[in-house]
Amino acid sequence: MGRYKRKTEGPSWSREALNEAVEAFRSGRMSGYAAASTFSIPRKTIMDHVTGRRGQKSLSLGRPPVFKYETEKMIAKCLHVMEKNGFGLTRTEFLDIVKGYVKQNDLKTPLNDGTPGKDWFSSFKKRYKL
């Protein structure tokens, strides 16, 4: 388990509701105040999205992931196959494989020397139920 705990749960509204509120304002069907009360979204948030001051950058909260979703899914699938066939890996062996993958594919990552840390590893295991 990682050492970090999420402090926020994210917005109480959905992305679809925000898009509907922005569209309702842009089309002139509702004022900013009416859209805010109808969709239960702060008026400032709606206006920031209308004016382009703030866009929807990511589907998740927090930092962007180190690897693309497809890459992580492929690594997890390989690990599941290895595990099913009786080839377990230690954390160090796994991190060495990931480091080799980063170096071999010349990926740009925010990792120190291309090596993921203990927190990344524990979060990876949790995400893919390893």
Side-chain angles (χ1 to χ4, degrees):
M1 184 81 111
R3 295 178 290 173
Y4 306 102
K5 301 284 184 197
R6 179 170 303 285
K7 294 178 184 168
T8 61
E9 292 301 316
S12 60
W13 58 89
S14 69
R15 187 174 288 268
E16 291 80 25
L18 177 61
N19 289 337
E20 286 180 39
V22 168
E23 188 55 39
F25 178 80
R26 282 188 179 150
S27 67
R29 289 183 295 154
M30 293 184 183
S31 68
Y33 291 103
S37 67
T38 302
F39 294 99
S40 301
I41 299 173
R43 187 185 68 83
K44 182 68 174 149
T45 300
I46 295 171
M47 301 322 281
D48 283 348
H49 284 269
V50 167
T51 60
R53 252 188 96 209
R54 192 162 100 194
Q56 297 174 354
K57 297 176 185 147
S58 175
L59 294 175
S60 62
L61 296 174
R63 292 181 179 177
V66 173
F67 299 111
K68 292 180 180 173
Y69 174 74
E70 296 81 21
T71 304
E72 275 196 0
K73 191 77 170 164
M74 181 198 60
I75 292 171
K77 186 177 178 182
C78 291
L79 288 174
H80 279 296
V81 169
M82 289 177 68
E83 184 179 49
K84 190 171 95 173
N85 292 316
F87 294 100
L89 290 176
T90 65
R91 181 175 56 87
T92 308
E93 290 170 337
F94 172 73
L95 295 178
D96 286 342
I97 289 171
V98 172
K99 182 178 179 181
Y101 179 81
V102 168
K103 192 177 281 187
Q104 180 182 13
N105 293 306
D106 197 31
L107 298 175
K108 303 288 185 231
T109 64
L111 304 172
N112 293 334
D113 193 31
T115 306
K118 294 176 185 177
D119 292 332
W120 182 86
F121 177 69
S122 62
S123 297
F124 182 85
K125 286 191 328 185
K126 187 174 162 186
R127 279 192 300 273
Y128 294 101
K129 297 172 180 55
L130 297 172

